[in-house]
Amino acid sequence: MANNEKLEIMRHSAAHVMAEAVQSLFPEAKFGIGPAIENGFYYDFDLPRPLTPDDLPVIEAKMREIIAANLPFTRQEVTKKKAKAMFAAQPYKLELIDEIPDEKVSIYQQGNFVDLCRGPHVSSAGEIKAFKLLSIAGAYWRGSERRPMLQRIYAAAFETEEALAEHLKKLEAMESHDHRRLNKQLNLYIAPEEIGGGLIIYGPKAGRIRAIVEEFWRQEHFAHGYELLYTPHIGLSKLWEISGHLGFYQENMYSPIDIEGQEYYLKPMNCPFHILFYKSQPRSYRDLPLRWAELGTVYRYERSGVLLGLLRTRGFTQDDAHIFCTPEQIEDEIAEVYRFSIHMWQAFGFEKYKVYLSTRPQKAIGTEEQWHKAEEALRKVLQEEGVAYEVDEGGGAFYGPKIDIKVEDALEREWQMTTIQFDFNLPERFGMVYTSNDGQEHRPYMIHRALLGAWERFFGLLIEHYGGAFPIWLAPVQVVIIPVADRHLEYARKLAQELKSEGVRTEVDDRSETVNLKIRQAQLDKIPYMLVVGDKEIAASTVSVRRRGGEKLEVRPFGDFKQDIKTAIASRSNV
Ligand SMILES: [Zn+2]
Ligand SMILES: [Zn+2]
């Protein structure tokens, strides 16, 4: 048997043991399901009271007793009728039994716990190795909001204590990098109840970071031959009928707004507006390619249950762009977009990517020739760039093939961010044309692309990747000056003024607190540099430099420090 299969059986058996432990603590417990999952297992329970974190060690101790007793897991086949009698007090199991098509069902027993289960299982409880109960979460029975909410206990389980310890360490790192948790400490944004789910208000620190990112984004786009468009947040129903969104995308859109008897919709995408500008005048092959970008804020319906901090919101700002070009230009355009994406990710400190190419699905619009040309262009570019990529055969949208780029963060997690997507649908629906050198009208090729994805998700990724310690060029405050005593305040303010006049974001911590407390605060705020100044520093025109990681650097002439930090910021250093 393969190792991972064995591990899965062990994990699932541990779920049975957890259920047995819960049953012994709550004899009236009703049981849902308890599968093995990646890295562990869970079980869903309907219990007479809500579990608290204090319950976990108690359940865990009971599980260790059961495992030490090493009783066998035994399998039995019974008729459905008999099974229903056995599980008469277990409504969730009864529901599952009813759905099994076979005449007989299998049940497993260990100790005095009996479960409806296909198996297989370990032969006795003693084979269950390293595990730890992790957390409690609410989970709807069968994932449906209309069914009862059960309590789920998540656990990790591994073959060895070492593997478990390694996994727990990783979880801890993930938790300390969680953007929602870091946000509580750093005060970047709020998502208050009063405005409704999935809507974000950014505070001054996030505002500063966003302004820097946007400015960089704009400059890079101009440098890469893009122009900027600005478009409204709502559009008339007629527009969304032409674009087809009211046909195939309506479940992601919000209800219309009535204005003078006409229906307007919040935009879920920016594309139709860009197309209207394309169509606002005749286009010749000499005008192409056109590359139009927009930081466009769109609104899409997401169920409240799936909203997740910055990572899944209802309103978000895409770093969107559309490229309109001739068939001859698509290879160059794709290559350019690909290189541009990588350039942007590198600028923000991401060095590892996975690339996916999605090709024509069964049901698709557009001609054979269009698909072939577009897919070949995508393939050729990836080959020429020397990129290893995976092909998702048939995984493209019905309107065109695409390249997706997943970036890897500091914790080695993959994030789907960049999409480069062909579209054979919208040019057709809007009747877009350009006049070719043969004097005839032709359809342009259209490419949608988002490099960073959406600002919200990108910001969430930045926070998690850097654990809130933003690189120097993005840090909302780059330097804090800490005077040792009140008599050093004047010097501190003078240095701050000099740094500010050079564009370095600087604050003076002038509170009447101890130096140590101020250093600790600056470290919590993850400010890259702390300059401590006292009598000695004033006498020698120096500063005592500390880094946010806690390292104390040397005492340096202030002029040298100023020069170095200016250079680091200008070069967008990612340390
Ligand atoms: Zn089982
Ligand atoms: Zn688009």
Side-chain angles (χ1 to χ4, degrees):
M1 192 181 300
N3 262 347
N4 50 1
E5 214 174 312
K6 245 174 81 183
L7 189 55
E8 200 169 303
I9 290 169
M10 190 270 277
R11 284 173 174 154
H12 173 58
S13 302
H16 278 237
V17 167
M18 179 163 77
E20 182 181 355
V22 166
Q23 179 182 253
S24 75
L25 296 166
F26 300 95
E28 59 281 73
K30 310 258 185 295
F31 298 93
I33 56 164
I37 52 174
E38 197 186 359
N39 302 315
F41 60 91
Y42 71 75
Y43 211 117
D44 289 343
F45 307 105
D46 190 343
L47 301 175
R49 68 162 173 85
L51 293 169
T52 71
D54 292 339
D55 291 314
L56 295 184
V58 181
I59 298 168
E60 210 175 280
K62 188 76 206 168
M63 288 174 70
R64 294 197 197 282
E65 261 175 49
I66 295 166
I67 290 167
N70 197 18
L71 294 177
F73 276 73
T74 53
R75 183 174 193 275
Q76 233 192 104
E77 283 203 356
V78 297
T79 60
K80 271 167 118 175
K81 196 170 161 218
K82 176 145 188 238
K84 279 186 167 178
M86 292 173 79
F87 291 100
Q90 292 291 335
Y92 306 107
K93 298 292 176 190
L94 289 177
E95 194 177 320
L96 295 175
I97 293 169
D98 272 334
E99 285 172 16
I100 298 173
D102 313 324
E103 280 305 304
K104 288 190 160 186
V105 300
S106 64
I107 58 170
Y108 275 84
Q109 177 160 14
Q110 91 276 358
N112 45 25
F113 178 73
V114 184
D115 207 346
L116 173 74
C117 182
R118 223 177 303 138
H121 278 284
V122 294
S123 52
S124 68
E127 289 173 39
I128 293 166
K129 303 285 172 48
F131 73 95
K132 184 170 171 49
L133 305 194
L134 297 175
S135 60
I136 304 153
Y140 290 108
W141 171 238
R142 321 213 80 170
S144 162
E145 284 155 49
R146 291 187 299 273
R147 308 301 305 275
M149 169 81 91
L150 307 181
Q151 301 190 68
R152 175 173 298 176
I153 301 178
Y154 282 106
F158 288 86
E159 194 61 44
T160 63
E161 291 294 339
E162 292 74 37
L164 175 65
E166 197 179 308
H167 177 69
L168 294 178
K169 221 172 107 192
K170 215 158 143 188
L171 285 183
E172 207 178 296
M174 270 166 65
E175 176 146 349
S176 72
H177 280 242
D178 185 296
H179 73 281
R180 290 165 298 175
R181 182 186 149 144
L182 285 163
N183 183 49
K184 284 191 191 125
Q185 186 183 328
L186 299 172
N187 257 314
L188 299 166
Y189 68 90
I190 56 170
E193 261 175 52
E194 294 91 320
I195 56 171
L199 299 168
I200 310 287
I201 298 175
Y202 297 98
K205 286 192 205 165
R208 180 67 85 156
I209 297 170
R210 181 159 170 172
I212 299 162
V213 171
E214 287 190 1
E215 189 47 33
F216 175 69
W217 183 92
R218 272 189 283 271
Q219 291 315 319
E220 289 295 324
H221 276 74
F222 289 137
H224 284 81
Y226 287 77
E227 295 298 334
L228 297 185
L229 302 195
Y230 291 82
T231 68
H233 287 230
I234 61 174
L236 195 56
S237 54
K238 191 174 156 198
L239 176 67
W240 307 109
E241 274 157 22
I242 298 172
S243 70
H245 284 90
L246 283 180
F248 63 81
Y249 203 72
Q250 192 165 17
E251 77 265 23
N252 301 303
M253 292 168 71
Y254 293 101
S255 314
I257 304 161
D258 183 304
I259 302 177
E260 295 175 346
Q262 289 189 300
E263 290 188 335
Y264 286 75
Y265 285 87
L266 278 168
K267 66 171 165 183
M269 295 187 195
N270 307 299
C271 344
F273 297 95
H274 291 200
I275 292 172
L276 289 185
F277 197 79
Y278 179 99
K279 285 188 44 128
S280 65
Q281 46 180 290
R283 305 286 174 185
S284 132
Y285 70 98
R286 276 186 238 96
D287 304 326
L288 305 183
L290 289 166
R291 308 184 191 99
W292 290 340
E294 178 177 13
L295 291 167
T297 303
V298 298
Y299 299 88
R300 293 183 193 168
Y301 174 61
E302 298 278 6
R303 287 160 25 147
S304 40
V306 303
L307 297 172
L308 180 67
L310 290 173
L311 305 186
R312 200 121 174 218
T313 57
R314 285 178 172 156
F316 54 92
T317 302
Q318 285 186 305
D319 86 306
D320 205 359
H322 297 99
I323 296 165
F324 306 104
C325 65
T326 68
E328 295 73 41
Q329 291 166 332
I330 60 173
E331 249 169 57
D332 286 348
E333 289 306 307
I334 296 290
E336 179 56 32
V337 174
Y338 181 80
R339 286 194 288 260
F340 189 15
S341 315
I342 299 303
H343 168 72
M344 290 295 272
W345 285 111
Q346 282 173 341
F348 290 103
F350 296 86
E351 299 291 343
K352 286 189 179 164
Y353 326 95
K354 280 218 177 110
V355 180
Y356 300 83
L357 168 64
S358 303
T359 61
R360 182 183 181 135
Q362 281 283 316
K363 239 183 99 190
I365 61 147
T367 65
E368 283 288 340
E369 195 205 335
Q370 280 176 317
W371 276 89
H372 180 74
K373 210 169 176 67
E375 286 179 4
E376 278 315 297
L378 293 173
R379 259 181 236 278
K380 199 163 164 211
V381 166
L382 293 176
Q383 272 155 18
E384 277 172 8
E385 295 295 315
V387 193
Y389 63 95
E390 276 177 40
V391 179
D392 181 4
E393 287 295 348
F398 73 90
Y399 49 85
K402 64 171 177 172
I403 290 176
D404 286 323
I405 303 176
K406 292 186 181 173
V407 304
E408 188 181 300
D409 73 3
L411 302 179
E412 299 177 338
R413 296 171 300 178
E414 282 182 18
W415 299 60
Q416 163 59 49
M417 304 302 282
T418 304
T419 298
I420 305 167
Q421 166 83 61
F422 272 96
D423 192 335
F424 307 132
N425 183 41
L426 290 179
E428 201 67 38
R429 296 189 73 103
F430 279 90
M432 297 172 76
V433 291
Y434 68 95
T435 310
S436 189
N437 54 359
D438 58 9
Q440 303 292 308
E441 286 191 334
H442 295 268
R443 282 264 182 274
Y445 272 72
M446 176 176 182
I447 301 161
H448 310 253
R449 56 108 273 210
L451 299 188
L452 305 178
W455 159 256
E456 281 65 19
R457 223 173 110 72
F458 174 69
F459 189 40
L461 166 60
L462 270 189
I463 300 169
E464 299 210 356
H465 178 64
Y466 286 108
F470 297 107
I472 184 89
W473 69 292
L474 297 173
V477 178
Q478 294 161 319
V479 177
V480 61
I481 304 182
I482 300 172
V484 174
D486 280 352
R487 65 178 183 281
H488 309 122
L489 245 177
E490 197 188 328
Y491 180 65
R493 290 199 174 120
K494 183 176 145 276
L495 301 191
Q497 203 43 53
E498 272 190 50
L499 287 170
K500 281 185 196 172
S501 68
E502 300 276 3
V504 182
R505 296 185 287 278
T506 311
E507 281 180 357
V508 176
D509 190 344
D510 57 6
R511 297 172 302 160
S512 319
E513 301 284 356
T514 63
V515 169
N516 278 342
L517 190 136
K518 291 180 188 179
I519 288 174
R520 228 170 56 91
Q521 184 59 49
Q523 279 168 345
L524 285 174
D525 293 342
K526 303 189 190 283
I527 298 171
Y529 288 97
M530 292 151 241
L531 306 182
V532 181
V533 295
D535 292 332
K536 271 188 287 182
E537 285 81 8
I538 293 178
S541 292
T542 56
V543 287
S544 195
V545 186
R546 276 173 171 269
R547 285 286 275 145
R548 60 186 156 198
E551 330 76 288
K552 189 168 191 274
L553 305 181
E554 74 274 60
V555 175
R556 308 190 59 202
F558 174 66
D560 291 2
F561 171 79
K562 188 172 75 177
Q563 200 45 53
D564 286 356
I565 194 168
K566 272 172 58 186
T567 309
I569 294 167
S571 67
R572 292 192 298 274
S573 162
N574 276 319
V575 293

